[in-house]
Amino acid sequence: MPRKFHVFATSDIGEALDVLRQRGYELEVYAKSEAPPQALIIEKVKSGIDGLITTLRDQIDAEVFEAGKGHLKVVAQMAVGFDNINRADANRYKIPFTHTADVLTEATAEFAFFMMGALARRMWTAEHLTRENKWSYWHPYLPFLGDEVTGKTVAIIGTGRIGLAMIKKCNGFDMNILCYDPAYQNHEYVDAIQEVKDLRLARGITKGKTWIKYVSFEEALRDADFISVHVPLLREGESNTPTYHLFNERTLRMMKPTAFLVNTSRGPVVDEIALARALREKWIAGAALDVYEKEPLPADSPLRDPVIEDRCRLYPHFASAARITRLSKDPNKGMAGRCVQGLIDVLEGNYGSDITKMPYVVNKEAFGK
Ligand code: NAD
């Protein structure tokens, strides 16, 4: 009989938690819907827990790890992004933390694609027109037109898991694809997509030749009709190619005035003041955002300016918010299931207790021999 583990979850992550209850864990779940105050997280960690289940709303840093000294064995985060967890601090305290990569890849990529389509074809504005009874006639171009996605050029910034999935979806719409990633380039995948493109042309499924290639960041900015961002948030000092404010006044000005920006990565990757100005002054045609520098989006955000309402789509950090993706207790399908499994792996010593072999642990570098 394994010993009873004590776990605190900063949020209710659904029935996947039953897996822990059934295994005899002593589990406390923060009952409110909003994030717990930081002081409460510290207090719970101090109380002697073995495992902490977190979401991206929680700040996990040295103070938390210090509070867990001697007993905290794992932090299991229900998200693929982990910019709220201080990796250097986790490594200093030798606490492994896990994430839920892969199971949200397709859901996030399809949402990015739908955001791009909704923005370009002005679906929000069109529905408002209908609902507000302002649709007075069918007309060839009044009161407005949208822009097609099919056959256009999309730039994928960050060709990791979600970027590659987005490429696959864009290929279904016969888009030309510019790829940019300074750290990881999957040429095999890009070659396979080109083969699919060539087959679609050869078999008459599509009419014109389309292409995919890796390019420089500048080329991606200059040549794309759509830019979709799929990078982690990396601040100065965390990477040779940080992503904080990757989209700023200088880079937004490099985009075509007819181009659209889609961001499902992390809010601080885009300088929102610069973006609001870019939309007001029409340096670019539009933007669709799922993530913000401050979440939830503050009431006084310049992105809420009614002047840019028709070309600025705003979503509530929703890209992974699909039923199975968020809540399935199957670790191969759901974020909740994968989060719980990551916690179990560490606490119950799966993989021969070798943390470097545990698939969902992020900071393996702290545990090498
Ligand atoms: P990943 O690690 O597989 O891919 C990220 C890629 O970005 C990597 O290939 C990396 O080399 C690249 N990269 C790093 N710095 C870069 C730079 N300066 N310019 C261009 N590329 C750079 O991660 P993933 O699973 O594809 O997820 C990507 C991010 O998406 C996550 O870190 C998370 O922040 C975000 N995300 C958001 C939601 C949502 O609900 N909106 C859901 C899932 C993931």
Side-chain angles (χ1 to χ4, degrees):
M1 180 71 187
R3 63 167 276 245
K4 195 184 224 180
F5 295 109
H6 294 246
V7 171
F8 177 64
T10 64
S11 175
D12 177 12
I13 65 167
E15 64 176 26
L17 290 173
D18 291 342
V19 174
L20 299 179
R21 293 190 184 99
Q22 281 153 13
R23 294 170 94 85
Y25 282 46
E26 193 166 292
L27 176 68
E28 189 186 346
V29 182
Y30 185 66
K32 294 190 185 156
S33 305
E34 60 267 25
Q38 192 68 5
L40 184 89
I41 298 180
I42 307 276
E43 183 194 315
K44 294 295 173 194
V45 171
K46 248 191 193 145
S47 75
I49 57 169
D50 302 286
L52 178 67
I53 291 179
T54 58
T55 72
L56 48 83
R57 312 180 303 181
D58 311 314
Q59 278 312 312
I60 306 302
D61 53 17
E63 212 188 340
V64 175
F65 295 121
E66 181 64 31
K69 233 176 165 175
H71 52 87
L72 182 69
K73 293 168 195 69
V74 59
V75 173
Q77 161 116 328
M78 183 183 159
V80 59
F82 47 82
D83 42 278
N84 59 310
I85 299 176
N86 188 313
R87 186 173 189 152
D89 288 346
N91 289 356
R92 211 147 36 80
Y93 283 85
K94 285 224 174 274
I95 304 292
F97 66 92
T98 66
H99 72 157
T100 62
D102 298 313
V103 282
L104 43 51
T105 294
E106 298 295 336
T108 305
E110 77 171 25
F111 198 80
F113 191 89
F114 296 150
M115 284 168 62
M116 182 169 81
L119 174 67
R121 298 301 300 269
R122 305 186 67 172
M123 290 173 74
W124 187 87
T125 319
E127 183 167 348
H128 271 268
L129 186 84
T130 317
R131 286 191 175 279
E132 289 159 18
N133 210 18
K134 292 178 184 153
W135 174 29
S136 356
Y137 38 73
W138 187 98
H139 186 280
Y141 58 83
L142 294 175
F144 52 77
L145 295 174
D147 291 291
E148 301 87 345
V149 167
T150 304
K152 295 283 178 58
T153 298
V154 63
I156 305 295
I157 308 302
T159 59
R161 290 167 289 244
I162 299 171
L164 293 182
M166 180 68 170
I167 287 173
K168 190 170 57 171
K169 310 213 185 289
C170 293
N171 195 42
F173 282 70
D174 293 321
M175 300 185 83
N176 292 308
I177 303 166
L178 300 164
C179 308
Y180 170 69
D181 193 317
Y184 170 76
Q185 307 193 343
N186 193 330
H187 291 284
E188 207 182 328
Y189 190 94
V190 161
D191 290 348
I193 293 284
Q194 187 63 56
E195 278 177 40
V196 174
K197 286 179 167 301
D198 294 344
L199 180 67
R200 284 161 74 95
L201 181 65
R203 300 292 294 269
I205 294 168
T206 181
K207 288 199 187 79
K209 184 164 172 61
T210 59
W211 43 261
I212 177 168
K213 59 183 177 187
Y214 271 101
V215 293
S216 68
F217 188 45
E218 287 68 24
E219 229 174 313
L221 291 173
R222 272 196 210 106
D223 295 345
D225 302 307
F226 297 91
I227 294 183
S228 190
V229 190
H230 302 283
V231 299
L233 171 58
L234 296 167
R235 296 179 189 274
E236 207 63 53
E238 290 177 342
S239 161
N240 293 333
T241 49
T243 58
Y244 178 80
H245 281 192
L246 188 60
F247 286 84
N248 52 41
E249 171 159 353
R250 187 183 68 82
T251 51
L252 288 166
R253 280 188 187 278
M254 288 169 75
M255 291 172 61
K256 294 188 200 174
T258 49
F260 298 91
L261 178 69
V262 177
N263 186 19
T264 53
S265 65
R266 281 291 182 263
V269 172
V270 176
D271 176 346
E272 285 174 7
I273 304 270
L275 176 63
R277 197 169 151 218
L279 293 172
R280 269 195 322 272
E281 298 178 9
K282 302 195 175 171
W283 313 344
I284 66 171
L289 307 173
D290 187 44
V291 286
Y292 306 92
E293 295 204 60
K294 187 170 186 318
E295 297 182 5
L297 185 65
D300 62 352
S301 165
L303 296 169
R304 294 183 188 273
D305 185 347
V307 170
I308 57 172
E309 191 177 77
D310 67 333
R311 49 192 183 276
C312 183
R313 300 279 55 81
L314 305 173
Y315 301 96
H317 205 138
F318 208 60
S320 70
R323 257 178 255 280
I324 293 171
T325 298
R326 277 278 173 89
L327 291 187
S328 173
K329 60 182 181 184
D330 180 343
N332 292 318
K333 290 189 179 149
M335 296 162 68
R338 187 153 284 206
C339 172
V340 161
Q341 188 60 50
L343 180 108
I344 290 173
D345 284 349
V346 178
L347 291 185
E348 298 187 19
N350 291 343
Y351 302 91
S353 295
D354 183 348
I355 286 171
T356 63
K357 294 206 171 97
M358 296 182 189
Y360 312 141
V361 170
V362 175
N363 57 334
K364 293 192 173 77
E365 69 276 8
F367 302 93
K369 298 264 156 22

